[in-house]
Amino acid sequence: MGTTWSVRLAAARNTDLHALHAGIQAQLDRVVAQMSTWDPASDISVYNRADAGTWQRIPDEFHRVLACALQIAEASDGAFDPTMGSLVRLWGFGADAAIDHMPSMDERELVRRNIGWRRIQLRAGELLQPGGVRLDLSAIAKGFGADRVAEHLREVGIGDALVEVGGELHGVGRKPDGSPWRVLVEAGPEEDDHSLEPCVLDLDGLAVATSGDRWHHYTRRDEHGEEHRYTHTLDPRSGAPVEHAAVAVSVIARDAMHADAWATALTVLGETAGMALAEREGLAVRYLGRDGDGQLRERMTDAFRVHLAQ
């Protein structure tokens, strides 16, 4: 998935840590083999190359993640869309970035014809390729990876751990002293000015994911030679990167899969619409943005506030 992982855990002194490490890596390798567009032999890559009108067999985990993605696509009215692989490619992100210039309106409109979460049809163990659809689960698969590692640890008798995959965090159980796993919510170097109190969370059976313009972006020149900064978060409705993206959007959920996907959806929606949706859905959300004078400001739902460390 082009990132790193780490696990902090409490285990008996005689635990074989090499075997534990190998088991964790095997879970993540399984996610990659199913859902990584960087692997040409993965299930998602095979699906993306499939002929129109064919039903492709997919593993249970793939089905589970895609079903969650479609649920959030519907709830966010398309702000989250797992069919954006062609758009990701067009804008120079992902495993097979196509161009190194700003796409024209014609290029964007051509690609958008193959985008649309409503085109996806799932049935037991199979997924229809309607033609031209390129799935991209980058905004949800890392979260699922963290969840799968946490599940695996419980299966092998490790009930207390803090799992991190690419910045997405899932805490299970507690530290040896009985205190909850505490994490500092990622935001960006701007917070180093101490204008805001550190945002520290207690994660006991909870996960948190953060999206924003700090982590992935690039600068390109347009046809007039002017430089533009583009965030990696794309808006499927416009076919372009999100403009004026929040510094960070953090979401707490029972699993990292949902937190990961919702963080992306709410970044696309923006603070006003995103906070309104978060309140309606009962989501635990924190927006970190900038005022007109460039000063940082934060807004959070009550559901997020209750998880702040005391």
Side-chain angles (χ1 to χ4, degrees):
M1 288 180 277
T3 189
T4 60
W5 65 265
S6 66
V7 176
R8 299 185 182 193
L9 55 87
R13 289 185 181 275
N14 61 353
T15 300
D16 185 344
L17 295 182
H18 293 290
L20 204 55
H21 184 285
I24 292 170
Q25 187 64 58
Q27 301 307 311
L28 296 173
D29 288 344
R30 184 177 177 87
V31 176
V32 168
Q34 294 183 27
M35 295 172 246
S36 173
T37 56
W38 296 87
D39 181 355
S42 68
D43 293 291
I44 196 171
S45 296
V46 171
Y47 171 82
N48 287 344
R49 295 192 302 266
D51 294 332
T54 59
W55 286 90
Q56 302 295 309
R57 297 289 303 174
I58 58 172
D60 291 343
E61 293 96 334
F62 193 137
H63 189 286
R64 177 178 165 189
V65 172
L66 184 56
C68 177
L70 294 175
Q71 173 196 6
I72 293 175
E74 182 174 15
S76 66
D77 197 21
F80 184 88
D81 194 325
T83 68
M84 290 207 308
S86 297
L87 196 62
V88 171
R89 179 175 182 264
L90 181 67
W91 280 94
F93 296 108
D96 53 354
I99 60 174
D100 58 1
H101 62 275
M102 189 170 73
S104 67
M105 287 299 297
D106 287 343
E107 288 172 320
R108 286 157 56 179
E109 287 303 315
L110 184 63
V111 164
R112 287 181 66 198
R113 295 174 188 174
N114 292 323
I115 294 173
W117 63 272
R118 290 185 176 87
R119 300 183 68 202
I120 296 298
Q121 295 184 48
L122 271 172
R123 66 188 188 192
E126 290 187 316
L127 173 63
L128 177 67
Q129 171 56 272
V133 166
R134 294 179 63 88
L135 292 175
D136 190 307
L137 299 175
S138 299
I140 191 171
K142 284 189 299 182
F144 175 75
D147 295 336
R148 187 65 201 102
V149 169
E151 290 173 8
H152 170 73
L153 290 173
R154 284 192 291 264
E155 290 165 1
V156 299
I158 303 295
D160 303 291
L162 178 64
V163 179
E164 179 268 332
V165 179
E168 324 303 6
L169 292 154
H170 189 143
V172 293
R174 294 191 164 227
K175 294 189 288 186
D177 63 4
S179 63
W181 298 102
R182 285 190 166 179
V183 300
L184 178 68
V185 176
E186 290 186 283
E190 296 95 334
E191 282 194 295
D192 291 342
D193 63 6
H194 306 295
S195 61
L196 297 173
E197 290 293 321
C199 184
V200 181
L201 303 175
D202 288 340
L203 292 186
D204 186 355
L206 294 171
V208 62
T210 299
S211 179
D213 70 356
R214 169 194 174 192
W215 291 274
H216 299 288
H217 60 268
Y218 61 71
T219 301
R220 290 269 166 81
R221 294 185 182 276
D222 62 19
E223 62 271 24
H224 306 296
E226 296 182 3
E227 285 194 345
H228 297 268
R229 184 177 186 269
Y230 297 104
T231 175
H232 78 301
T233 304
L234 301 173
D235 187 338
R237 303 164 301 177
S238 67
V242 174
E243 294 188 11
H244 312 299
V247 174
V249 181
S250 299
V251 179
I252 304 170
R254 287 293 172 186
D255 60 64
M257 175 173 66
H258 281 84
D260 195 5
W262 270 120
T264 297
L266 295 170
T267 298
V268 171
L269 285 170
E271 184 177 320
T272 301
M275 283 294 287
L277 177 60
E279 294 288 0
R280 290 197 303 272
E281 294 285 332
L283 301 174
V285 176
R286 178 202 189 221
Y287 273 88
L288 185 68
R290 298 183 182 88
D291 289 325
D293 59 2
Q295 295 297 307
L296 286 174
R297 68 172 188 281
E298 67 176 355
R299 291 179 63 189
M300 63 183 73
T301 63
D302 289 341
F304 188 97
R305 198 180 307 276
V306 298
H307 298 296
L308 295 175
Q310 300 301 314

